[in-house]
Amino acid sequence: MLLYNHLELMNFQAEVLYVHNHAGRITTINEYANQPAPRFFWGQTNNGRVIRFRSDVPNNVVRELTQVLDRNDPTNQLANVINVLEKDKGISGFWMGPAYVFNDIVTDYTDATLVTEDNKYCLEHGFSSLLSEMKFREPCYMVTENNIAVSVCFSARSSDKASEAGVETLKDYRGKGYAIRAASSWAQAILQSQRIPLYSTSWDNYSSQSVAKRLQLHFYGTDISIY
């Protein structure tokens, strides 16, 4: 049983994905590198929607986009949103995909290894970039073969209420269930820290959606980010 409804989960995801200012506008992506945020975030659920605007989006554009979304015309809403944004400034990037939450109890396949100072050398072969980011990605779990990490799951972005999974598996080791083991262990750790484990991907990332299906994650909405 979910502890939160879909709209609450989408709110948590918005807070996990992006840094907000005092006015509720998004400023940067919620990562240590402070990458630019999208101009517009739209999370749609069966309980309602969550929308966020970047801090530099003009107020007249905010009003027009809000009016577009308030119209009861789901067929043309996305096209109309894009038109409004393009009138203001050309669109430079677009993301759309499903958003999931792990079940409240994760007990299966939780045998992956927590990455620590003592064993992080296992990441050097295939996940060397993760080593320099480790303090921002904790907890991180790995599945190893011959002391080499072949699949990892880490905290891609986090808040005090939720964390979103980042899952990577070396090409030669995909399709063997390693990502399931790493992600299950990570989710259990997040739940034990009294936070919500989230997972999202894009509609065209079929392998990531396959992982979500095998993990039996709960779909709660679709999120769209437009730059």
Side-chain angles (χ1 to χ4, degrees), residues 12-79:
F12 289 139
Q13 189 194 23
E15 298 292 334
V16 163
L17 293 178
Y18 304 115
V19 175
H20 295 65
N21 62 19
H22 66 280
R25 295 284 198 103
I26 54 180
T27 56
T28 60
I29 291 176
N30 183 25
E31 291 193 8
Y32 71 97
N34 288 329
Q35 299 174 20
R39 294 155 65 198
F40 179 62
F41 170 83
W42 171 12
Q44 187 65 48
T45 78
N46 59 4
N47 297 115
R49 65 174 178 263
V50 174
I51 57 174
R52 297 284 191 274
F53 302 95
R54 199 169 65 197
S55 56
D56 60 348
V57 175
N59 289 331
N60 65 302
V61 176
V62 171
R63 287 192 296 271
E64 191 171 355
L65 284 172
T66 303
Q67 290 170 359
V68 164
L69 291 173
D70 282 342
R71 295 175 195 150
N72 190 20
D73 183 18
T75 303
N76 296 318
Q77 272 185 336
L78 180 56

Side-chain angles (χ1 to χ4, degrees), residues 32 114-120 123 130-141 153-159 162-166 185-187 189-190 193 195:
Y32 71 97
L114 176 67
V115 176
T116 65
E117 284 294 319
D118 295 332
N119 62 21
K120 67 180 185 181
L123 298 173
L130 192 55
L131 279 171
S132 61
E133 304 171 359
M134 189 54 61
K135 67 179 180 179
F136 306 104
R137 305 302 191 189
E138 296 175 340
C140 176
Y141 282 82
C153 183
F154 52 89
S155 298
R157 303 179 193 177
S158 297
S159 72
S163 189
E164 179 148 306
S185 295
W186 173 86
I190 296 300
S193 71
R195 291 181 294 153

Side-chain angles (χ1 to χ4, degrees), residues 107-128:
T107 57
D108 296 335
Y109 312 114
T110 53
D111 61 344
T113 303
L114 176 67
V115 176
T116 65
E117 284 294 319
D118 295 332
N119 62 21
K120 67 180 185 181
Y121 65 88
C122 296
L123 298 173
E124 291 175 357
H125 174 73
F127 304 99
S128 57

